[in-house]
Amino acid sequence: MKKVEAIVKPFKLEEVKEALAGLGIQGMTVTEVKGFGRQKGHKELYRGAEYVVEFLPKMKIEVVVPEDLLENTVKAIVDAASTGRMGDGKIFVSPVDDAVRIRTGESGDVAIG
Amino acid sequence: MKKVEAIVKPFKLEEVKEALAGLGIQGMTVTEVKGFGRQKGHKELYRGAEYVVEFLPKMKIEVVVPEDLLENTVKAIVDAASTGRMGDGKIFVSPVDDAVRIRTGESGDVAIG
Amino acid sequence: MKKVEAIVKPFKLEEVKEALAGLGIQGMTVTEVKGFGRQKGHKELYRGAEYVVEFLPKMKIEVVVPEDLLENTVKAIVDAASTGRMGDGKIFVSPVDDAVRIRTGESGDVAIG
Amino acid sequence: MNIRQGAKPSYPGQVRRACTVLPGKRAAIAAVIFLAVMALPGMAFAQDSEIDSGDTAWMLTSMVLVLFMTIPGLALFYGGLVRSKNVLSVLMQCFGITCLVTILWTLYAYSLAFDDSTLVTNEAGETVFAFPSSFVGGLSKVFVNPNNIGGLSGTIPESVFFCFQLTFAIITPALVVGAFAERMKFSAVLIFTGIWVTVVYAPICHMVWGGGLLSLWGAMDFAGGTVVHINAGIAALVACLMVGKRSGFPKTPMPPHNVAMCVTGAAMLWVGWFGFNAGSQLAADITAGMAMLVTQVATAMAAFTWMMCEWIKHGKPSAVGIATGAVAGLVAITPASGYVGPIGALVIGLVAGVVCFVAATTVKNALGYDDSLDAFGVHAVGGIVGALLTGIFAANTLGAFSGTVADIDIVKQFGIQCAAVAFTILWCGVWSFLILKGIDLTIGLRVDEEEEIEGLDISLHSESSYNL
Amino acid sequence: MNIRQGAKPSYPGQVRRACTVLPGKRAAIAAVIFLAVMALPGMAFAQDSEIDSGDTAWMLTSMVLVLFMTIPGLALFYGGLVRSKNVLSVLMQCFGITCLVTILWTLYAYSLAFDDSTLVTNEAGETVFAFPSSFVGGLSKVFVNPNNIGGLSGTIPESVFFCFQLTFAIITPALVVGAFAERMKFSAVLIFTGIWVTVVYAPICHMVWGGGLLSLWGAMDFAGGTVVHINAGIAALVACLMVGKRSGFPKTPMPPHNVAMCVTGAAMLWVGWFGFNAGSQLAADITAGMAMLVTQVATAMAAFTWMMCEWIKHGKPSAVGIATGAVAGLVAITPASGYVGPIGALVIGLVAGVVCFVAATTVKNALGYDDSLDAFGVHAVGGIVGALLTGIFAANTLGAFSGTVADIDIVKQFGIQCAAVAFTILWCGVWSFLILKGIDLTIGLRVDEEEEIEGLDISLHSESSYNL
Amino acid sequence: MNIRQGAKPSYPGQVRRACTVLPGKRAAIAAVIFLAVMALPGMAFAQDSEIDSGDTAWMLTSMVLVLFMTIPGLALFYGGLVRSKNVLSVLMQCFGITCLVTILWTLYAYSLAFDDSTLVTNEAGETVFAFPSSFVGGLSKVFVNPNNIGGLSGTIPESVFFCFQLTFAIITPALVVGAFAERMKFSAVLIFTGIWVTVVYAPICHMVWGGGLLSLWGAMDFAGGTVVHINAGIAALVACLMVGKRSGFPKTPMPPHNVAMCVTGAAMLWVGWFGFNAGSQLAADITAGMAMLVTQVATAMAAFTWMMCEWIKHGKPSAVGIATGAVAGLVAITPASGYVGPIGALVIGLVAGVVCFVAATTVKNALGYDDSLDAFGVHAVGGIVGALLTGIFAANTLGAFSGTVADIDIVKQFGIQCAAVAFTILWCGVWSFLILKGIDLTIGLRVDEEEEIEGLDISLHSESSYNL
Ligand SMILES: Nc1ncnc2c1ncn2[C@@H]1O[C@H](COP(=O)(O)OP(=O)(O)O)[C@@H](O)[C@H]1O
Ligand SMILES: Nc1ncnc2c1ncn2[C@@H]1O[C@H](COP(=O)(O)OP(=O)(O)O)[C@@H](O)[C@H]1O
Ligand SMILES: Nc1ncnc2c1ncn2[C@@H]1O[C@H](COP(=O)(O)OP(=O)(O)O)[C@@H](O)[C@H]1O
């Protein structure tokens, strides 16, 4: 089981969600985060004081998938979230030992089905 | 050391916290997240335009525990967070290499005590 | 590749960011979280009803680094974020299998450069 | 024995002014007009010229200010105090009540309160006790239209008097919302409001200001201590007992979701209340001016007192506290506003601040009822404090503490005030209980628990307030 | 044939009052003054004493109330309805329009609307059709200063009349903002406003209230059904068609970012609107009182109706719904407010509630134009409903449904109202199209897509509203 | 030499009206009353009929409007500008100041400002310089009660005059809050306010409007350029220097936590300010009307100008900018409002917009003091601009730029205005320094750093505003 964590531009959330649904993935968890990277932030202005917002709004999509779906998942996210511009984001893949569905207590791959 | 990530219904937060405290766990980190899964979202309505909110508010509780506490931790969360209804959430267990307490610089199991 | 997750006091964010930048780290992701730990929460008061806020605002900084940077990264965060007082926070290190830059599709260490 | 009052309706302004020490320009104007009419019999504009554009200007403004108290004032004050999942339900209740009461007032409720054509007078021309006219008004003002409401009421158009009184009838049930917020069905709120305005508000209003029972007793209530605040506060207590506690109360903390919103609403209440109190004189004269002054003084004193109570008891003064204290002061000065002087108002503010603080914190916590936003602790308690102290500080014989009313027997008046308060508590308490019981047995008062936990905004209105 | 009106300007109050059934105290005062002047020829204060401090007090207040409608009222109502990334752009548009229109009104636009020195009268002294004076005012009131605006207008200072009318000129283009919110360039908004006020608003205002064409026809518009609401609503429709849909519309849901803010704004609109309607009488008299009353009744009824429509159709009533319904009622009663009675107002509110509900939901969704905040569906549609029903319910021969206007031929008046509506739609539609086309071809109407997605707050104003 | 003024108090309205070109209806009324009294000696209502219900209606309204400026207006304007952890502390300060000043005003401060019974007059009946009566009022109006405040002040009840002036005394120290926001102790704020109102505000108020020193010089200050704005602005500068910079300033950006709230507050300030300026005439007459008009014009112009300055300098206009510009315009027109004409107001708005923009951005950044919310940059600078330009544009000899004051020697008046400004700066600066120093040496001015970083809401008031 792997956890795929994708940090994407907020307005791409909908498309990524649909791409994942297209793979039959039925669950995911989304968090509003702030990203810092190569993409330049915008400046804001208050009464003559300018300052740069370096932390840009991003969406983190976490989805735990069975190993066999991993490759497709990553690919689907890349396809859906890419605009070719700085700041499109990253995908991180990491190991997950186990998953449990709280409602039923089931664990393993069946819990994330 | 393992990280236990539980995604639960928001109103279960208090109970889960108390269940964990019951095991002697003294620290945890909580994030507001949005979940997408089998649980149906509600519809909202603005001037005759209906739309479905698919992303439901959930709480993500992250707690890093020594391996020996793992089983009990997962069980305690399942017991506290379960209502038997769709959308109760998931628990993911994943490996953690190390932990450091910033205040003291201590690392290892003692850092999360 | 390792993921370093640091949970720090909010007003330390800026310093940690600069410390990481000092190491040449160019990207990170930040989330507002609530922490529960040894640090006592403050009490709030509404019309004679007192209650304790146990969940304190913290910032979670996630940064994925190549293995060789790991040690320095952890050290830099500890140095920047420590005030010596309860509630300074934790750092967790965990394995990451792979990273992908969405814009280009590159993967591996180069994706987080 | 049954002589109809005919052309001399006993509007509240006049009833109340009967015992003010400063009959002011009204008498003067009357004299002028009398002379004019004597001198120029048959002049076509004699009646029209009774209208006073200055008084009318102030009353038009006062109506606007009192409406401003409910929407947005009270809506924000209450809306800020609830949890974010229920804020829209509170705003909807305030809006819905505003609409419903306006419609009923137009159709028949104004008539029940202020149609004095059925009042019975004795040979001396004084109104006397009779049934049912001492409890409720007649029906000659139903379906208001230019023919039954197109003339004057004193020196202002009756349409303006209608509107001004309507805003009182709106805010009274809206105040009750504070007691059952976060759990009552919206449909039940509307039905309760409709019946309550008909059988509680309009009759009490008639009894105090329309020439009915309490005015016969000689009760003094300048701007609505009994009619508005005790009435609303008692209904609130009954409602919160019958609807039951919020799920989780008192274990789960339920802090205000937006204190800034709540304080904004309190500020608007304060600002609008000048229409309420100084407007109740129905004229822009010396009494109205003094009503404005004492309102400001009592409010400031009560807010400051509440703040100091917190500071002493908890070590810190709070924003919710100072705002609530201000409302308590506004409530307490309401019945007294046209009668007492500034130093008397300081005392009323001080007493109201302390007593309401104790009621809304210690007493509520001790008794354990869930009056979500302290509608009882502030409005009933503050209203009672004010109504009783009116009987004392109205007297113009207290030196610097003097009010403006001459020839007042303090002990006797205090007794009358007690009786009026007791009567209002009884009438309102019994009726409110019956109405709520009836609703509970039919459509039910309360949403089910799952809806309550999800929040009324989503479960009853399919909306959430914030999409930030 | 060209006799200048000289000292008798035909201000709107007077034009409109010409057909009210209650000439009220104005006639009485005139008579008094006439007598006084006869009796004491040459008394220095004769002219000065025409000012009525009560009327002036009410009009000072009314100006404040109408300004309050735009900022903060409309700004919050609209600001709450957009997404959080665009809220400041909406507030800026409301503020910017307020400033710009004030400046233009001072420099020349007031003159274009209300300088009646060029009106042409016949031998009987009645104003007759002429070009261009039936379409636009003269230029003797440009660069207003104490010399051309320091006197009286009826019983109030002309400076107050100027300010009161200015607030109408401000809110009208501000209403249009609702149609193109979230995508139009700020510079384009300002340029559009400047030209539109000059060639659409001022002339229509002159035609209806300044003695121009529509007043010659006998159109009845008490407080701005045509001048303000149909005008704004039609410009809104043209604007949203020409600016195009928001990116993502209608697939992406764009829920209000802050419904509590929106409801607060609606409450402020409601409160301020009494200045709009009852203020349009330009006096604190019986007609003003009745205007206040019918405004309250129609608004409550329309809000309640909209709420019930939702409840029936969707199973749940919503806060945005009741607030929008209230605005629809306020719009519809505007042209009728000084003429109809309370029960007529109930009917107007009912019809406006249903019709606007259908327009803003079903019709808009069916036709697919993106009137972001329903400026057309509420203001044009509500304004038309009100303008037409004014022709009916103004008549004082309808029993309980009576209005206050005598000698009205309902069929004929209904025809006149239709003609006035049609004329306004045409004039405003054509000009609005031309102005927007011109801007589109030069600087462009719309921000580019990336800016739109980022939100206008950051992209146009380098600010974000919330840093919580 | 010491002739008491007796029955002819020199209230500000009258002092100021002494040099207006349009004595208006007051003179007329006086004449009428004179005639009436001559004709009917001994008529009982002669004195009562001096009250003017229209003037009273407007002044009741004006008091409400000015209170509305502080709570909620200023509270929201300032509250929106601070960081979310300090918003309640700002709201508390505004509320606390409102309460405290009300209490002190009632007990003694009104007397210090407006008791003119100790003024000294010469044989011609003119007030002359004397100590201490040219610096501070007497004590006959302490502990206000119906006996010392139950009569009239001009054509309005003295109680209303008391309340109106009270709202000025409230807003002045509340404006200072902007300078020390986010770091000063709440207890220190209250103590500072209490002393400052006593030794700075009340005396300056007496000197300008109560017949004291500056009025003897002939300084023109219609609605409070010196008394309110320069006074507050100078205290603000002294306070922000003595309290010190916020921790992190200027390195850490401290953007407004809620710009929409701030803009809402600015809109409320704008709306309420008509009570401030047009109310300062103390009557609903032609001068009040003109004061309203010029207030609107100058404000719009200053807001527009600030916006254009930003647009030119930074490429984008901002919402905080246009709102701040509006406030700058309101401040600048305040002393001028009853004297200048609309085109003069345009110029004042333009100058104020540019000068305050430079002061609040470039100058502040250059000098590096931390005036958190620009209380100095806007109120002192804007107030000075306005006070000086009043000396010029008041003259009725400038063609379209004319004001309404005849017989004014522009050069001389400009000199007087400079002197009055300088005197106010000195008096206020010195006293403010001494008071703050005293507090600093005793209880301390500032919270400790940990409390500051945690935010004053939690550390001083145990509350957080938002629990969304
Ligand atoms: N090393 C990293 N660890 C964690 N998150 C990162 C890292 N590098 C980048 N990110 C996240 O990815 C986002 C996009 O990165 P950025 O460098 O701006 O553009 P790109 O991915 O196109 O190179 C950042 O805003 C941040 O949230
Ligand atoms: N594969 C997944 N990866 C990450 N989070 C998931 C995944 N599946 C479900 N979730 C999270 O768990 C929550 C509950 O899942 P859901 O399918 O609605 O109900 P249940 O857990 O009862 O089957 C979701 O809202 C989502 O936050
Ligand atoms: N076992 C844990 N798992 C996850 N997060 C933890 C854990 N223990 C502590 N934390 C996080 O670290 C923060 C600081 O911990 P705390 O015990 O208050 O102080 P300290 O780190 O100084 O011992 C907490 O607020 C919480 O967010």
Side-chain angles (χ1 to χ4, degrees), chain C residues 24-82:
Chain C
I25 292 175
Q26 299 189 11
M28 71 196 72
T29 301
V30 175
T31 316
E32 288 176 16
V33 298
K34 302 273 178 189
F36 178 84
R38 300 175 179 206
Q39 185 191 3
K40 282 270 149 309
H42 54 263
K43 62 173 197 189
E44 300 199 7
L45 187 67
Y46 296 96
R47 283 195 184 155
E50 243 175 68
Y51 73 100
V52 174
V53 176
E54 294 171 318
F55 288 99
L56 297 170
K58 301 277 170 195
M59 284 291 176
K60 177 159 89 175
I61 301 163
E62 284 170 288
V63 52
V64 175
V65 292
E67 223 126 328
D68 55 340
L69 258 176
L70 179 61
E71 206 168 325
N72 284 337
T73 303
V74 172
K75 199 174 160 317
I77 298 177
V78 170
D79 288 352
S82 165

Side-chain angles (χ1 to χ4, degrees), chain F residues 278-433:
Chain F
S280 284
Q281 171 65 358
L282 304 180
D285 62 12
I286 283 202
T287 301
M290 194 56 85
M292 168 170 271
L293 168 46
V294 298
T295 300
Q296 174 70 12
V297 170
T299 307
M301 191 65 192
F304 202 81
T305 303
W306 190 299
M307 182 183 90
M308 294 308 299
C309 288
E310 284 191 331
W311 214 332
I312 291 163
K313 189 167 164 209
H314 301 290
K316 291 180 185 177
S318 79
V320 172
I322 201 169
T324 312
V327 176
L330 288 161
V331 168
I333 196 65
T334 295
S337 49
Y339 306 127
V340 304
I343 307 293
L346 268 186
V347 179
I348 291 178
L350 182 74
V351 176
V354 173
V355 174
C356 292
F357 174 75
V358 173
T361 56
T362 320
V363 173
K364 185 175 76 166
N365 291 344
L367 299 187
Y369 58 89
D370 182 16
D371 178 9
S372 327
L373 316 179
D374 292 315
F376 171 74
V378 170
H379 293 278
V381 175
I384 292 170
V385 165
L388 301 185
L389 294 183
T390 300
I392 298 172
F393 291 104
N396 71 350
T397 50
L398 305 169
F401 291 80
S402 283
T404 59
V405 186
D407 298 327
I408 197 171
D409 174 339
I410 293 183
V411 175
K412 190 179 147 215
Q413 188 64 43
F414 190 82
I416 295 175
Q417 299 298 102
C418 289
V421 166
F423 181 90
T424 307
I425 292 176
L426 221 74
W427 181 282
C428 173
V430 170
W431 277 112
S432 298
F433 173 80

Side-chain angles (χ1 to χ4, degrees), chain B residues 25-30 62-65 101-103 111-112, chain C residues 7 33-39 56 58 85-90 92:
Chain B
I25 292 174
Q26 300 190 11
M28 71 196 74
T29 302
V30 175
E62 284 170 287
V63 51
V64 175
V65 292
R101 187 191 306 279
I102 291 175
R103 174 163 46 99
I112 52 173
Chain C
I7 292 146
V33 298
K34 302 273 178 189
F36 178 84
R38 300 175 179 206
Q39 185 191 3
L56 297 170
K58 301 277 170 195
R85 270 174 304 188
M86 210 76 111
D88 276 354
K90 308 269 187 260
F92 302 121

Side-chain angles (χ1 to χ4, degrees), chain A residues 3-4 25-30 62-66 100-104 106 111-113, chain B residues 7-8 33-40 54-58 84-92:
Chain A
K3 181 204 266 191
V4 179
I25 292 175
Q26 298 190 12
M28 71 195 73
T29 302
V30 175
E62 284 171 288
V63 51
V64 175
V65 292
V100 181
R101 186 191 306 279
I102 291 174
R103 172 162 48 97
T104 55
E106 299 160 281
I112 53 171
Chain B
I7 293 146
V8 304
V33 298
K34 301 274 179 189
F36 178 84
R38 301 176 179 207
Q39 185 190 4
K40 281 272 147 306
E54 292 171 320
F55 287 99
L56 297 170
K58 301 278 171 195
R85 269 172 305 187
M86 210 77 110
D88 277 353
K90 307 269 187 260
I91 300 172
F92 302 121

Side-chain angles (χ1 to χ4, degrees), chain E residues 40 43 45 48-49 51-57 59-61 63-65 67-68 71-72 76 87-88 91-92 95-96 98-100 102-103 106-107 143-147 149-152 157 159-160 162-163 166-167 170 186-187 190 261 268 458-468, chain F residues 22 24-25 28 31-32 35 52-55 57-58 61 65 68 84 255-260 263-264 266-268 270-271 274 278 284-286 288-290 292-293 296-297 299-301 303-304 307 311 316-323 326 341-343 346 399-400 402-404 466 468:
Chain E
L40 305 158
M43 268 188 69
F45 61 89
D48 263 340
S49 65
I51 193 175
D52 182 306
S53 66
D55 292 348
T56 303
M59 293 313 299
L60 289 162
T61 307
M63 182 276 181
V64 171
L65 288 171
L67 182 64
F68 183 64
I71 51 166
L76 291 177
V87 54
L88 295 181
L91 301 188
M92 280 289 288
F95 255 77
T98 301
C99 297
L100 180 62
T102 300
I103 297 167
T106 306
L107 295 180
F143 292 95
V144 296
N145 61 70
N147 302 315
I149 206 176
L152 295 181
S159 53
V160 176
F162 173 100
C163 287
L166 164 58
T167 56
I170 286 169
F186 184 57
S187 54
L190 291 181
M261 179 193 265
M268 290 175 173
I458 287 295
S459 64
L460 295 189
H461 307 297
S462 274
E463 278 174 309
S464 54
S465 183
Y466 304 105
N467 299 292
L468 297 175
Chain F
L22 300 159
K25 72 176 214 301
V32 171
L35 288 171
D52 183 306
S53 66
D55 292 348
W58 173 234
T61 306
L65 288 171
F68 183 65
S84 64
H257 90 283
N258 190 336
V259 179
V263 173
T264 304
M268 290 175 173
W270 189 335
V271 162
F274 292 105
D285 62 12
I286 283 202
M290 194 56 85
M292 168 170 271
L293 168 46
Q296 174 70 12
V297 170
T299 307
M301 191 65 192
F304 202 81
M307 182 183 90
W311 214 332
K316 291 180 185 177
S318 79
V320 172
I322 201 169
I343 307 293
L346 268 186
S402 283
T404 59
Y466 304 105
L468 296 175

Side-chain angles (χ1 to χ4, degrees), chain A residues 7 34-39 58 85-90 92, chain C residues 25-29 62-65 101-103 112:
Chain A
I7 292 146
K34 301 273 179 190
F36 179 83
R38 300 175 179 206
Q39 184 190 4
K58 300 278 170 194
R85 271 175 303 189
M86 211 76 113
D88 276 354
K90 306 271 186 259
F92 302 122
Chain C
I25 292 175
Q26 299 189 11
M28 71 196 72
T29 301
E62 284 170 288
V63 52
V64 175
V65 292
R101 188 192 305 279
I102 291 175
R103 173 162 47 99
I112 53 173

